[in-house]
């Protein structure tokens, strides 16, 4: 794991009161879930299921899949490393810039890793290089916020049957663009979808994710899954959220409208270039100055934390990423950045 991830408030002496550095919306009411987990706290005195069968069955029913087509993991990050381990030594391509753990996991498990910066188009017959056997995609993509068109993905998957497509949809609940459903993806023999309950319900401390795909692919993953990797409280949380049919904790259309408002306000500041986004976070480039300097200024002078994005493959010291928070916090950020340029 690279140094310089988001949510690193521990580095700063001043308390962080507005955190834009993580792609988790932090203002979610988790009181009912917390009460439920308090009632189940005695469960930590016993081992959880060696494999989280009960939660997998619940997710399978929700997505209209056979249980064998769902694999629950200790966050989406465990899924990434589990996939890389299962397909050890593969020729893997990664669409960059994106989450660094794909490359880290692949290199750890002996993959030949190639970075690509655009996908083949209709002009190319949607064909990937012949030696590629695995393609990692984040959709919506971190850090750019871009979403690959569903019809393009369909063409790529069907025309490159020799390639296993690993599509990380951890931010699927934060876009209005069409994406693959778990059932649609499971109909292909060469697609694995990654999902994050961590992101959807703002519970990063619980580490709860899952993979969906064809039963054949999932069977291979399970041969390498460590027993008891998902703890008892995480299983309880997942069951509670699903069985009580907890809706999305955010009004996503309204949240994305606020994202658009924030983006427009940042674009109005001289010295900033703001990338387009189709989700709740965005990539910003400083025309001059370093993102690390802006990050330190915002933390020290305003109690605001952003993500220095210079360590993403393909980006440089001018880039930072932010995730939309409340309107009041967003206004604080815009004002603080404008002051930095004035100073």
């Amino acid at each position: 794991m690279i140094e310089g991830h988001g949510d690193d408030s521990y580095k700063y002496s001043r308390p962080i009161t507005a955190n834009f550095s993580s792609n988790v919306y932090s203002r979610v009411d988790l009181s009912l879930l917390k009460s439920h987990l308090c009632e189940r706290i005695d469960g930590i005195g016993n081992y959880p299921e060696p494999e989280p069968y009960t939660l997998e069955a619940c997710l399978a029913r929700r997505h209209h899949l056979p249980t064998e087509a769902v694999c629950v993991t200790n966050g989406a990050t465990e899924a990434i490393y589990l996939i890389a381990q299962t397909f050890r030594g593969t020729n893997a391509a990664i669409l960059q810039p994106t989450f660094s753990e794909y490359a880290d996991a692949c290199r750890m498990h002996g993959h030949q890793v190639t970075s690509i910066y655009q996908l083949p188009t209709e002009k190319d017959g949607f064909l990937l290089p012949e030696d590629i056997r695995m393609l990692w995609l984040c959709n919506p993509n971190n850090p750019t916020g871009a979403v690959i068109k569903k019809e393009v993905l369909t063409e790529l998957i069907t025309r490159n049957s020799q390639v296993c497509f690993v599509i990380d949809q951890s931010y699927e609940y934060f876009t209005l663009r069409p994406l693959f459903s778990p059932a649609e993806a499971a109909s292909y023999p060469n697609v694995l979808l990654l999902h994050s309950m961590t992101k959807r319900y703002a519970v990063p401390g619980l580490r709860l994710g899952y993979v969906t795909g064809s039963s054949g692919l999932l069977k291979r993953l399970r041969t390498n899954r460590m027993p008891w990797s998902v703890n008892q409280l995480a299983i309880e949380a997942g069951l509670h959220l699903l069985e009580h049919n907890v809706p999305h904790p955010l009004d996503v259309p309204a949240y994305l409208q606020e994202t658009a408002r924030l983006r427009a306000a940042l674009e109005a500041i001289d010295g900033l270039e703001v990338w387009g986004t189709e989700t709740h976070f965005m990539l910003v480039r400083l025309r001059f100055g370093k993102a690390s300097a802006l990050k330190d200024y915002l933390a020290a002078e305003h109690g605001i934390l952003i993500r220095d994005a210079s360590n993403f493959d393909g980006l440089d010291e001018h880039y930072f990423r932010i995730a939309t928070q409340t309107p009041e916090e967003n206004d604080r950020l815009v004002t603080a950045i404008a002051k930095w340029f004035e100073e």
Side-chain angles (χ1 to χ4, degrees):
M1 184 173 187
I2 63 169
E3 174 69 14
H5 55 83
D7 208 12
D8 52 353
S9 57
Y10 55 85
K11 293 181 177 180
Y12 299 96
S13 57
R14 175 170 177 163
I16 298 299
T17 55
N19 186 355
F20 292 83
S21 71
S22 167
N23 289 337
V24 175
Y25 180 76
S26 59
R27 306 300 183 183
V28 175
D29 182 4
L30 297 173
S31 56
L32 292 179
L33 176 61
K34 291 175 181 178
S35 296
H36 175 74
L37 293 181
C38 286
E39 293 172 1
R40 297 293 191 273
I41 195 65
D42 287 345
I44 66 173
N46 304 99
Y47 279 95
E49 297 170 341
E51 296 184 10
Y53 313 109
T54 305
L55 181 53
E56 287 175 348
C58 191
L59 283 163
R61 289 192 298 273
R62 173 64 61 91
H63 294 307
H64 308 291
L65 290 171
T67 305
E68 299 79 22
V70 181
C71 179
V72 171
T73 56
N74 184 13
T77 300
E78 187 199 6
I80 292 166
Y81 281 82
L82 183 59
I83 292 166
Q85 178 187 2
T86 300
F87 298 95
R88 168 180 286 276
T90 300
N91 281 359
I94 302 171
L95 183 62
Q96 301 281 9
T98 197
F99 189 41
S100 66
E101 298 298 332
Y102 311 142
D104 289 352
C106 285
R107 293 190 179 104
M108 178 182 290
H109 292 289
H111 293 239
Q112 181 68 38
V113 179
T114 301
S115 290
I116 61 175
Y117 295 90
Q118 60 183 18
L119 294 171
T121 64
E122 184 177 7
K123 183 180 68 174
D124 311 307
F126 295 104
L127 296 176
L128 289 159
E130 291 184 2
D131 61 333
I132 297 301
R133 291 296 178 268
M134 176 170 283
L135 178 62
W136 295 78
L137 303 169
C138 189
N139 198 45
N141 183 47
N142 172 26
T144 65
V147 174
I148 303 166
K149 290 182 178 179
K150 189 176 178 181
E151 54 268 29
V152 170
L153 277 180
T154 300
E155 292 286 353
L156 288 167
I157 291 163
T158 55
R159 299 198 190 198
N160 296 273
S161 58
Q162 79 283 7
V163 177
C164 179
F165 287 78
V166 184
I167 306 173
D168 186 349
Q169 291 192 174
S170 290
Y171 303 104
E172 60 195 325
Y173 295 104
F174 298 93
T175 186
L176 301 179
R177 297 296 183 185
L179 302 174
F180 282 129
S181 71
E184 287 173 324
S187 69
Y188 296 102
N190 60 330
V191 175
L192 292 168
L193 282 191
L194 277 58
H195 311 270
S196 176
M197 296 184 78
T198 291
K199 300 295 190 304
R200 182 180 185 185
Y201 295 108
V203 287
L206 281 174
R207 313 306 308 136
L208 191 57
Y210 59 100
V211 186
T212 56
S214 71
S215 298
L217 285 178
L218 270 292
K219 182 178 180 180
R220 295 182 66 180
L221 289 188
R222 286 192 176 88
T223 63
N224 290 297
R225 181 167 59 178
M226 184 179 71
W228 302 299
S229 69
V230 184
N231 71 75
Q232 185 65 33
L233 289 182
I235 292 172
E236 285 287 352
L239 291 172
H240 174 80
L241 292 168
L242 292 170
E243 292 177 356
H244 290 80
N245 198 29
V246 174
H248 196 287
L250 280 170
D251 180 340
V252 174
Y255 187 35
L256 295 180
Q257 285 181 359
E258 177 60 19
T259 299
R261 187 186 74 87
L262 171 59
R263 182 172 178 271
L266 290 171
E267 282 186 315
I269 299 175
D270 287 339
L272 293 183
E273 298 174 8
V274 189
W275 286 33
T277 182
E278 294 176 294
T279 186
H280 65 299
F281 53 85
M282 67 195 76
L283 191 62
V284 186
R285 182 181 182 276
L286 295 168
R287 291 193 177 95
F288 53 88
K290 295 182 179 181
S292 58
L294 174 61
K295 176 182 176 179
D296 289 343
Y297 166 82
L298 292 173
E301 300 298 325
H302 298 275
I304 294 173
L305 191 63
I306 62 172
R307 166 69 153 93
D308 177 357
S310 61
N311 54 6
F312 281 93
D313 188 306
L315 302 184
D316 60 27
E317 64 188 11
H318 302 294
Y319 286 91
F320 65 94
R321 187 200 68 202
I322 56 171
T324 305
Q325 299 300 322
T326 66
E328 295 76 18
E329 289 170 324
N330 297 335
D331 290 343
R332 280 180 58 196
L333 174 68
V334 172
T335 300
I337 293 176
K339 286 183 178 178
W340 183 72
F341 278 109
E342 291 170 2
E343 294 178 6

